[in-house]
Structures are given as C-alpha cells and as structure tokens.
Amino acid sequence: MQRWIWLVWLAGGVLLAGSTSGWRVTPWSLLIVAVAGALAWWTSPRSRGRSKRLADVMELPEDQRRVIVYWRPGCIYCERLRSSLGADAERAQWINIWQDPDAAAYVRSVNDGNEVVPTVVIDSQPHTNPEPSEVQAALAR
C-alpha cells in the first residue's frame, strides 16, 4: 500500500478541492490541488528519478561502494540524512527500495523482515537509521 500512497494524496486533494469549491475552479481549489500534487510527487516512487539498482552497485569497485544508502520516497528520515550530508551525499550509493525488489529484500533481511529506511551499509555492515554524523564520518574516510 505504501508504494501507492502518492495516488491517495492526489485523489484526496482533487476530491477535497472539488467538494469545497462546488467543483468550480477557485484559487483555494487550485492551492489544494497544488499542495496535494506536491505531496503526491514527494511520495512517488519516481520522485528523485531512476535510482541505481543493487546489482549495478555491487559491480562497482569496493572503494566506490563503501557507503550504500537504502531509501524510499516520502521517508522523512531519508530526507533528513540526505540533507544532513549536504554535498557529500553524492559520494554514497543511493538505492530506492521501491524501484528494486532485490534491495527491498536485502533491507528486510537485515531488519527482522521490515522495510526500515534509511538502512545504510558502511564497509559491509548494515546500520538502521544511523546518525548523519556516523555516515558523514564514513564518507570522509
């Protein structure tokens, strides 16, 4: 269900805008649809474009995959981590678990069957929702 939450945001916004404005286009209805559209995009599996796949990342040289971040759209903890890393975020390998079933399976395997994100693998050791400073330190090495 979580993968389709963006449709709920979009449909809910359209229904709310229509029902509050008598199905006429008003500034308020446009605002409601715009906010719902932004939330739908933020939680959409394609919100940051096509993500790397686990198989492709594992083919990279070891020094290029020292830090692998498993994430999903709409996750505030993932966004917190990405923004806390700043420009260093580009040095990590980011894998969207909603676009890669193998990545989702890996995350479940290290989190007692749950898709907890962000799950960050640092030097082959998984860390569930680590502090950004820990990831920053690993990227700095």
Side-chain angles (χ1 to χ4, degrees):
M1 174 59 185
Q2 288 180 341
R3 294 178 188 183
W4 303 104
I5 194 71
W6 67 276
L7 284 174
V8 174
W9 281 115
L10 193 57
V14 169
L15 290 174
L16 179 63
S19 64
T20 58
S21 67
W23 297 99
R24 293 185 320 270
V25 176
T26 65
W28 287 111
S29 66
L30 291 176
L31 178 64
I32 291 169
V33 169
V35 169
L39 286 169
W41 176 248
W42 185 58
T43 57
S44 164
R46 303 272 189 228
S47 68
R48 288 194 180 264
R50 191 77 184 144
S51 178
K52 295 178 181 169
R53 300 190 59 78
L54 178 58
D56 297 335
V57 169
M58 297 315 277
E59 290 178 1
L60 294 172
E62 193 170 324
D63 64 321
Q64 291 182 21
R65 57 181 163 93
R66 289 192 51 227
V67 177
I68 302 171
V69 181
Y70 296 89
W71 71 285
R72 68 168 171 76
C75 169
I76 59 173
Y77 303 105
C78 298
E79 292 299 324
R80 173 182 156 246
L81 177 61
R82 188 183 296 265
S83 65
S84 296
L85 295 176
D88 287 338
E90 296 302 316
R91 294 180 33 219
Q93 302 297 324
W94 293 78
I95 301 174
N96 181 344
I97 65 168
W98 283 359
Q99 290 181 354
D100 188 343
D102 293 334
Y106 173 77
V107 169
R108 286 191 303 271
S109 76
V110 298
N111 289 300
D112 299 322
N114 299 306
E115 288 185 355
V116 181
V117 288
T119 294
V120 182
V121 177
I122 300 172
D123 295 326
S124 303
Q125 290 295 322
H127 304 268
T128 303
N129 198 12
E131 288 297 319
S133 59
E134 184 179 354
V135 180
Q136 186 85 39
L139 288 170
R141 287 185 260 167

